[in-house]
Amino acid sequence: MANETTLVILGASGDLTSRLLLPALGQLLTMEPHRRVRLRGAGMDEWDDARWRDTVREAFASAGFEKAFAAIAETTYQRADITDADDLARLIAGAGDNVALYFAVPPAVAAAACEALADVTLPEGTVLALEKPFGIDEASARRLNATLARLVPEEQVFRIDHFLGRSTTLNMLGVRFANRVFAPVWSAEHIESVVVRFDETLGLEGRAGYYDRAGALIDMIQSHLLQVMAVLAMEPPSTLHERDFRDATAAVLRATHVWQDDPVTASRRARYTAGKVGERQLPSYVDEPGVDASRDTETLAEVTCEVRNDRWRGVPFTLRSGKALAGKDGEVVVTFRPVNHVPDGLTGAAPGAVLRFSLGPDRMDLELNVNGGDDPFELERALLEADLGEGALKAYGEVLSGILDADATLAVRGDAAEQSWRIVDPVLAAWRAGDVPLDEYPAGSLGPEHWQKLP
Ligand code: BG6
């Protein structure tokens, strides 16, 4: 795509736009000054161009990118009902050939807008960008995909998953595919278990309207963590270009199932009660404004999966994420099997090596058995640490750069979105049937005390 794109943000006055999208755009335009963007905002609010311009300028400034504002060729706002075909047509009118429609609105509104778009003539190459969740189960994900397929080719649909834009997720590619010390041992023969964990200290943060219907399983595991897992487990692709990369990650998801097909033993869920996270006192989740306690929404979820192929059969992949926990802890932990035999004469335990990729900040470490400290025949653990530096673009900037270039490599493909639901649907069903207890943990703790600790 040429360097001038009309980015139409639907839901321009919303929180996502000012908190994430605009700062990311500011960063992108600062780092890649050749880009030219026309920025059209649209929403139900009675804003005028000046108000929109102020919003953009302030969002850029708050992220330290005030100068980027000058790179925007047009900043206009239109009041619009984005589920109305005439309003949508007006928004696109005169936008030129390179148009990206970014739906920064709740999924149901985005789906309705896509239905309406069927009656609008879209410029060739129009890109559609949608936020998760993509559906509420496999069947609805399929319906949404069918609607989208009537509008534009799949390569022009950007299902956003900013974890794919994280430099930390991407770091796994180099380590895996560019090192002979890892490539040959990346399989069930040498790896015992994998954990993908994303523990947060944040509580609900006023997001009950969305989160109370999603919960940790849908908010994090169904989307982000399965994608991270797919990058870790994919077969080496020939290139990292869109088709090869997305074929390889989708193949992992197609092979993934809940451990032993038993969602009851393979999953756990819990919800936080009142407690202190650092200096902040959090109320019980059920006392947060807007929460309906009868929904039994979990704020901590764990699911163990298996990737049923020759490379991974038998290796548990445990995905876990929760809110209001003691510390922020996002990482992928790869635990290798111990060696078959330690020579007699070396003393001490020799557990398998552990490789950890942090999911931000950008670092990795490798825990190994070494000897030669005080006693040259006694084994001890040593840690090799690497600080990988800041990714140049923040995750949303990476995502936006793909959208402006119409390069969907880091977007979730439709079949992958369906597969992610296919994997978690049985867990959701078991939870809704009450087959898995909803445990509790005090905010600021490590989770329910009786849960077995993960590596
Ligand atoms: C979002 C989830 O997609 O990712 C949030 O909806 C979560 O609940 C967030 O907090 C985590 O990502 P980041 O980049 O904000 O750490």
Side-chain angles (χ1 to χ4, degrees):
M1 193 178 266
N3 285 331
E4 176 149 327
T5 306
T6 304
L7 177 61
V8 185
I9 300 185
L10 309 158
S13 49
D15 172 64
L16 176 77
T17 301
S18 47
R19 203 168 42 85
L20 288 171
L21 267 186
L22 292 176
L25 181 65
Q27 192 201 17
L28 186 63
L29 295 177
T30 304
M31 296 191 51
E32 299 178 4
H34 63 280
R35 289 185 186 277
R36 284 288 166 273
V37 173
R38 285 190 294 226
L39 191 56
R40 296 189 175 177
M44 292 299 266
D45 288 296
E46 293 284 359
W47 283 14
D48 57 10
D49 291 352
R51 173 87 190 261
W52 172 232
R53 228 167 269 142
D54 287 345
T55 305
V56 177
R57 206 181 280 121
E58 272 163 35
F60 281 17
S62 70
F65 304 117
E66 46 277 271
K67 291 207 182 110
F69 189 75
I72 302 188
E74 173 195 315
T75 332
T76 50
Y77 180 88
Q78 286 185 40
R79 193 197 167 278
D81 172 359
I82 64 161
T83 62
D84 180 275
D86 292 338
D87 278 11
L88 285 166
R90 238 179 314 119
L91 275 171
I92 296 164
D97 281 341
N98 301 322
V99 180
L101 297 180
Y102 198 117
F103 296 94
V105 290
V109 182
C114 289
E115 299 279 352
L117 272 180
D119 296 326
V120 177
T121 308
L122 296 173
E124 201 166 321
T126 296
V127 157
L128 306 178
L130 290 101
E131 288 284 334
K132 74 174 171 67
F134 316 117
I136 52 166
D137 55 17
E138 187 187 353
S140 57
R142 282 187 192 281
R143 281 196 299 276
L144 175 64
N145 285 345
T147 304
L148 293 165
R150 285 194 288 274
L151 302 176
V152 295
E154 175 62 31
E155 299 72 43
Q156 290 163 226
V157 178
F158 284 65
R159 292 174 198 78
I160 311 284
D161 190 310
H162 74 286
F163 273 55
L164 284 174
R166 276 177 188 266
S167 43
T168 40
T169 306
L170 301 175
N171 282 336
M172 290 195 291
L173 298 170
V175 171
R176 270 198 66 187
F177 297 132
N179 292 291
R180 199 173 268 260
V181 289
F182 290 119
V185 295
W186 212 254
S187 70
E189 200 185 336
H190 302 285
I191 291 178
E192 191 171 76
S193 69
V194 175
V195 172
V196 184
R197 172 189 2 245
F198 201 78
D199 285 1
E200 296 183 275
T201 51
L202 292 177
L204 190 57
E205 312 298 316
R207 297 168 75 212
Y210 153 72
Y211 192 89
D212 200 39
R213 285 183 166 76
L217 179 62
I218 291 177
D219 183 46
M220 294 296 300
I221 293 180
Q222 187 276 336
S223 49
H224 305 315
L225 301 194
L226 277 172
Q227 290 296 326
V228 172
M229 186 195 92
V231 172
L232 178 119
M234 72 197 211
E235 292 304 308
S238 153
T239 76
L240 288 180
H241 302 153
E242 184 269 323
R243 173 89 190 265
D244 287 339
F245 181 77
R246 302 208 297 177
D247 280 353
T249 49
V252 172
L253 295 171
R254 269 201 307 282
T256 300
H257 302 262
V258 164
W259 186 256
Q260 295 182 338
D261 288 321
D262 182 2
V264 176
T265 51
S267 72
R268 302 192 282 199
R269 58 179 179 149
R271 183 165 74 177
Y272 66 83
T273 55
K276 232 173 165 187
V277 185
E279 291 306 301
R280 284 174 76 204
Q281 177 66 37
L282 289 189
S284 238
Y285 176 77
V286 292
D287 294 330
E288 295 269 17
V291 165
D292 175 353
S294 70
R295 275 201 196 104
D296 278 354
T297 302
E298 80 289 352
T299 57
L300 172 62
E302 256 182 49
V303 180
T304 301
C305 298
E306 179 181 29
V307 181
R308 284 189 199 146
N309 60 21
D310 184 56
R311 182 183 290 272
W312 293 115
R313 184 96 202 191
V315 177
F317 284 80
T318 301
L319 314 184
R320 159 191 164 117
S321 185
K323 294 213 177 272
L325 290 158
K328 191 166 164 47
D329 188 9
E331 57 179 6
V332 178
V333 186
V334 180
T335 303
F336 287 84
R337 297 188 191 283
V339 291
N340 291 336
H341 174 72
V342 176
D344 214 13
L346 277 179
T347 57
V354 179
L355 177 63
R356 290 196 178 80
F357 297 93
S358 152
L359 287 173
D362 290 6
R363 42 175 304 105
M364 58 175 273
D365 58 59
L366 177 62
E367 213 179 295
L368 295 169
N369 300 315
V370 297
N371 65 329
D374 291 343
D375 174 348
F377 293 102
E378 168 130 15
L379 292 169
E380 54 192 55
R381 276 313 240 192
L383 198 61
L384 305 185
E385 296 175 275
D387 190 339
L388 303 170
E390 282 265 314
L393 275 179
K394 295 232 169 64
Y396 253 92
E398 202 67 60
V399 162
L400 263 183
S401 133
I403 291 172
L404 297 181
D405 291 340
D407 175 354
T409 308
L410 299 181
V412 177
R413 204 167 64 186
D415 57 335
E418 290 168 13
Q419 289 301 319
S420 306
W421 282 113
R422 198 255 320 136
I423 296 162
V424 304
D425 276 352
V427 180
L428 284 167
W431 290 7
R432 284 177 188 142
D435 294 343
V436 175
L438 178 61
D439 294 326
E440 292 191 331
Y441 60 100
S445 68
L446 294 170
E449 250 174 32
H450 66 279
W451 283 21
Q452 205 192 333
K453 297 275 168 293
L454 297 173

